[in-house]
Structure formats: structure tokens, C-alpha cells
Amino acid sequence: MKSILQKIIAQNKQQEKETADAMQAEINDPQTSDSRRSFLKKSALGGISLGAFMGLSFEDTIAQTTSKVKRASNPSELKITDMRYALTSVLGGTAIIRIDTNQGIYGLGEVRDGADPRYALMLKSRILGMNPCNVEMIFKAIKQFGGQSRQAGGVCAVEMALWDLCGKAYNVPAWQLLGGRYRDKVRLYADTPEAGSPEEQAKLIKFRTEDQGYTWLKMDISIGELKGKPGTVVNSKFWENAQGNLAQWGDQSNYMSYGNTLHPFTQIQITDKGFEELAKIAENVRSMVGYDIPISTDHYGHFDHNNGIRLGKALEKYRLAWLEDIISWEYTDQWKTISDALETPTTTGEDIYLLKYFKPLIDKKAVDIIHPDLASSGGLLETKRIGDYAEEAGIAMAMHQAGTPVSFMANVHCAAATQNFLALEHHSVDLPWWESLVKTTDGRKMITKGYANVPLSAPGLGIELNEDVVKQHLDKRDKTFFAPTKEWDERRSHDRIFS
């Protein structure tokens, strides 16, 4: 028996040596490409052939190549043990959550900007003890607790964190778990807010296009720009506040306020003069950036779909990339009317939760582009499903994103894995410390010249928190930093929605 084992070992050593010699010869060959040479070197360092390079015996080779395997990280035995949060100051308060496990690895997620972290904390008792790698199963159990827009923030935060955990457990990037990637870098569009003057707007645009290299912009064309311009808006006095602004965006301090009225019911109308003024804004920006850079538009104000059509026609000659959220997303038939009347593409979706509620827009081809926010739409897998469903109907997908680098990277993985993807929003271009909230686990730059770099090998979302920087940018209302949340451990209801 011993002689047979020795013979097998000798044969293996010879095979190892032959393999190593062949690999080394290919590495030394000047005609071998750099990428192939890099692959061979990594293969040699990470595999059994290492033994032949080092002159080790087969037994020593086995010991060497398995010495750093984390046997404690057994995905099938993973269990969720805790959930905690830190509320950052990004966009008026954006919470990062951390889901811990019994094996020391954890996942990061994010509650959508402006949403309460308790949307996530209420789910803690419902997921404790579960295996985080059963992502779809857990999502189906908790999705009943999500709602439209920011009410979905908790469910989506948990889903993000589960993919981060699952990727770390299996040592693969999140995009790989979604079925693979279509691209190595993800095109970004830079949000460009309204400015006080054309000169200030020019500075913002120059910073984005020339200094930072963005190849796609989004700008606001709001009826707020018509303040102080007589004869541009019908019914404006009714909506003006003490500062003379059109206060029709909402008033959370007064639930009886007319400012909480939905778009179709304001009867704000824009005159021909008003449309001319708004068209001047688009013309000014287009003249600055030319036609090589797509320009999307957003944040028009609350008015009905007839005004939306007239505005779209006034802006048509500037070949905008899209008109976004002209009216609220749920008015499918009105969206169809707008889209049929215009040549400029239309889009909506940042406040829609779940594929179920995207389907009417897609099935009726009521918009030209869907625009989910992954922190509201259901997380990585649900958003990919939304994109895939739209692809079948010939509809493209752009992605809305306004948060910390945690949700940003979740979006990057989803965008990389979805074929009909167009561009992802970057809403924090003007925050110099934003990228430093995290550090990439593979050493890559997160953003290069208007593109997000897809982590090709880093597991999970491919980031870890830069805790010192996060602590410097906590929301003033809550300076705790991943403090214990024991009060959310106890489950107090039977939640299943079927008998």
C-alpha cells in the first residue's frame, strides 16, 4: 500500500513539475500578452503548481496551499446575529446598516436617503438566526414590510447587506451572484443642481465635464426658475410662500397645506412666456456642453400632464436624453399620453417598489426608460429583474442613486449585471469627502473619469467602511455609531400573510 501511495505521489510531483515548467515557459515567452502572463502568475501562486516552483513534496504542497483556508467561514452554517446602524449626514440623513453573523463576517446596506433607520431595525427580529446566504427567501419574507419610495428603505437595506455577506462567504463579487457581468465599468451621470446664475451653472458643468470627466449630465428645469418673472405662470400667487417661492413641493409641518397636493390637482399652468424662459435654460446648458454629452432633466414642479407635454415640446429641439418624473409614477395612462405626444424620451421610477408596480408602465410602454432607485425598488436582485423585464419590452434602464458609497456600490454591481443599463446617477459629486467614507477591498479607485470601476475580484460589494471618516460625518441628530440595538431583538407578532 505504501509503495502505491509513493508511486502516486511521484507521478503527481512529475505532473506538477511539467505543468509548472510549461507555465513558466509561457510566462517567459515575449509573445505572451500581459493579461495572460498576469493570469498565469496568479494561477501559479494560488494553485497546486506552487509546489513545483518551490521544490516542495506533494504532501507539503497540499499543506501549503490549504494553510490559509478559513474553515470557520462555512456558508451553510452562517447565521445572522445582529443588526446595527450609523446615521450619516449625506443628503440630510442616510443610514448605513451592518448585519453581523456568527462567523465574524458582516454585510453593509443602506436605508434610502431621508428614510428612518427604524424601517430597517423593525426587520431585525424577523431575520435573526437566518442564514444570510438565503437572500431571496429572506427577501420574500420581509418584502411585505416595504412600501413605495422611502418606505422600502429598510427592506432594500437588508437585501443589500445580504448580498454583501453572501459574496464574502463565497468569496465572489455580488455581480457574479446575479449571473455575471456585462461590463467592467459603469457609466455615471452627474447630477447638476440649479444655480443662481448662468455663470455659476457654467462653473458646475465645467467641474463635472472637464475636471472630473463625466460624459452624461442631469439638470433641473424647474418652474421655481420663473420666480419674479411676471406673466410666466398662471395661478402662481395662490402657491407663493412668504419668500415668493412656489411652495407646491409639500409642507410636512402642516398636513392641511395645499402644498401637499398631487401634480394633477394644482392647476398651475405655464404660459408661452414661461416656456420660453425654461427653454433658455436648456439652450444655455446645451451651448456650454455641446451635443457630445447627453443632458437629462428633472424637478420641474407639480403641474398636470398637459403642461408636461407643452414643456416637452418646448425643449424638444435640444435633444434631451430624457424628461424625468414630469408627473407622479402611478398615473400610467397619463404617462402613456405624454410619451406618445413627445419625441424626447420619458422616464420615471425612482419611487417605485417592486417589479409588480413597474409592470404596468412597461407593459403599456408608457415610458421610454425606466429609472429605479435600488434603495427603493427592492435591492439588487429585484432591480435586475425589473431591468430584465423591461429589456424584453425593448425598454432601457437608467438608475437613480442618491446616498452613500454603500448603496452606490450596490447599484454598480446591479448595473454591471444588467444588459439594458444606460447610466447610474452620482448625486454627491460636490462632496469632496464622499468617496473616502469607504475603502475598496481590492485597492481600485471607485470612480475614474465619470465611470464607476466594477470590482472584478473583490467579494461582496467590494468595500469596507473608513470608520474614522464616517464618524466625522454623522448626522447631528444621532451621533451613535453602530451602537447595540437589543430593543429590536424580540419578535412580537406573527407576520406571515397566508394561512
Side-chain angles (χ1 to χ4, degrees):
M1 183 69 177
K2 186 176 180 180
S3 61
I4 295 174
L5 286 174
Q6 288 174 336
K7 185 176 180 180
I8 292 173
I9 290 171
Q11 289 174 343
N12 281 327
K13 286 174 68 175
Q14 181 61 31
Q15 290 174 357
E16 282 292 307
K17 187 176 186 309
E18 291 173 358
T19 300
D21 289 345
M23 291 175 70
Q24 189 62 57
E26 191 172 355
I27 289 171
N28 294 337
D29 188 344
Q31 293 187 349
T32 301
S33 67
D34 290 341
S35 59
R36 173 66 177 168
R37 187 176 288 110
S38 176
F39 169 77
L40 291 168
K41 288 179 178 178
K42 289 178 180 177
S43 299
L45 290 173
I48 293 297
S49 60
L50 181 65
F53 277 109
M54 299 178 64
L56 299 176
S57 68
F58 183 72
E59 303 96 313
D60 290 338
T61 301
I62 294 295
Q64 178 73 24
T65 55
T66 60
S67 64
K68 294 184 180 180
V69 173
K70 293 182 178 179
R71 293 179 177 82
S73 294
N74 182 355
S76 65
E77 299 299 324
L78 266 179
K79 286 184 172 59
I80 296 170
T81 58
D82 202 359
M83 181 199 294
R84 302 186 181 193
Y85 76 95
L87 184 63
T88 74
S89 61
V90 173
L91 291 163
T94 303
I96 297 170
I97 68 163
R98 190 186 76 206
I99 294 180
D100 297 326
T101 67
N102 60 332
Q103 294 180 16
I105 60 173
Y106 62 85
L108 297 173
E110 178 181 308
V111 182
R112 185 175 169 182
D113 62 294
D116 197 305
R118 287 173 290 190
Y119 280 124
L121 291 171
M122 68 166 290
L123 303 173
K124 179 181 178 182
S125 65
R126 295 160 173 89
I127 64 174
L128 286 175
M130 289 186 172
N131 186 326
C133 296
N134 293 323
V135 182
E136 186 176 45
M137 179 182 179
I138 294 175
F139 175 73
K140 287 183 176 179
I142 64 174
K143 72 176 183 179
Q144 62 183 297
F145 300 107
Q148 304 303 327
S149 191
R150 286 162 178 82
Q151 294 177 27
V155 173
C156 298
V158 168
E159 203 263 6
M160 288 183 221
L162 295 180
W163 285 118
D164 191 28
L165 259 169
C166 190
K168 290 173 179 175
Y170 285 99
N171 198 35
V172 293
W175 56 258
Q176 188 69 72
L177 298 168
L178 297 178
R181 71 183 192 275
Y182 287 94
R183 51 193 60 87
D184 291 343
K185 59 182 182 178
V186 167
R187 191 177 189 180
L188 305 176
Y189 73 82
D191 184 72
T192 310
E194 292 172 300
S197 67
E199 294 75 22
E200 184 62 29
Q201 189 81 0
K203 288 181 182 178
L204 291 171
I205 290 171
K206 181 179 181 296
F207 176 65
R208 285 156 172 73
T209 58
E210 296 183 21
D211 298 350
Q212 294 193 314
Y214 285 92
T215 64
W216 193 313
L217 300 177
K218 186 169 81 174
M219 59 180 287
D220 297 341
I221 299 183
S222 167
I223 53 177
E225 296 280 358
L226 303 178
K227 175 183 176 180
K229 297 179 179 179
T232 56
V233 179
V234 177
N235 202 27
S236 63
K237 291 298 181 185
F238 182 78
W239 296 96
E240 284 182 6
N241 60 17
Q243 291 74 42
N245 298 316
L246 285 172
Q248 36 94 48
W249 294 97
D251 183 356
Q252 295 184 18
S253 64
N254 177 11
Y255 74 94
M256 287 287 190
S257 169
Y258 273 100
N260 300 320
T261 303
L262 281 167
H263 297 61
F265 314 127
T266 64
Q267 270 305 294
I268 288 176
Q269 294 182 328
I270 309 169
T271 67
D272 287 346
K273 181 180 177 181
F275 287 124
E276 289 173 5
E277 292 292 331
L278 295 176
K280 286 179 184 177
I281 298 171
E283 183 175 23
N284 179 54
V285 174
R286 182 56 88 188
S287 67
M288 282 189 279
V289 303
Y291 280 88
D292 285 336
I293 293 179
I295 301 173
S296 304
T297 60
D298 188 19
H299 286 169
Y300 314 100
H302 289 185
F303 46 73
D304 67 12
H305 73 287
N306 294 302
N307 277 266
I309 292 170
R310 294 186 69 205
L311 176 61
K313 288 181 176 179
L315 302 178
E316 208 132 62
K317 66 180 179 180
Y318 304 110
R319 304 311 303 161
L320 299 174
W322 69 60
L323 300 165
E324 175 184 336
D325 293 338
I326 300 172
I327 56 173
S328 192
W329 63 269
E330 68 269 29
Y331 295 112
T332 304
D333 291 336
Q334 292 185 26
W335 270 112
K336 176 68 171 169
T337 300
I338 293 171
S339 297
D340 286 348
L342 300 177
E343 293 180 8
T344 302
T346 57
T347 186
T348 192
E350 70 180 69
D351 291 322
I352 302 179
Y353 177 53
L354 302 179
L355 171 59
K356 174 182 177 181
Y357 295 99
F358 273 93
K359 281 185 174 181
L361 286 164
I362 296 169
D363 290 343
K364 290 192 174 185
K365 293 184 171 57
V367 292
D368 300 291
I369 301 166
I370 55 163
H371 193 228
D373 186 312
L374 186 144
S376 282
S377 56
L380 283 81
L381 182 56
E382 186 74 359
T383 305
K384 175 171 167 51
R385 285 176 173 152
I386 292 164
D388 290 346
Y389 190 82
E391 182 187 346
E392 293 296 318
I395 294 173
M397 180 175 79
M399 299 175 74
H400 178 274
Q401 190 278 331
T404 80
V406 174
S407 68
F408 178 84
M409 285 309 305
N411 276 272
V412 167
H413 284 271
C414 183
T418 309
Q419 183 169 351
N420 61 335
F421 165 79
L422 290 176
L424 167 66
E425 180 171 18
H426 184 13
H427 205 284
S428 299
V429 176
D430 299 309
L431 290 181
W433 46 266
W434 184 86
E435 286 188 47
S436 61
L437 290 170
V438 301
K439 46 196 171 187
T440 60
T441 55
D442 56 357
R444 76 190 182 284
K445 283 191 67 177
M446 196 156 57
I447 298 171
T448 304
K449 291 295 182 183
Y451 287 82
N453 298 306
V454 177
L456 301 184
S457 59
L461 297 182
I463 53 172
E464 297 293 348
L465 293 181
N466 192 338
E467 295 191 356
D468 290 338
V469 177
V470 175
K471 288 176 183 177
Q472 292 170 16
H473 297 285
L474 294 173
D475 191 285
K476 62 183 179 181
R477 296 168 297 173
D478 187 344
K479 293 287 188 178
T480 62
F481 183 77
F482 297 111
T485 55
K486 296 291 290 183
E487 65 273 24
W488 296 94
D489 287 2
E490 184 182 352
R491 185 169 177 170
R492 301 178 184 179
S493 65
H494 180 60
D495 300 325
R496 201 175 71 185
I497 55 176
F498 58 91
S499 299

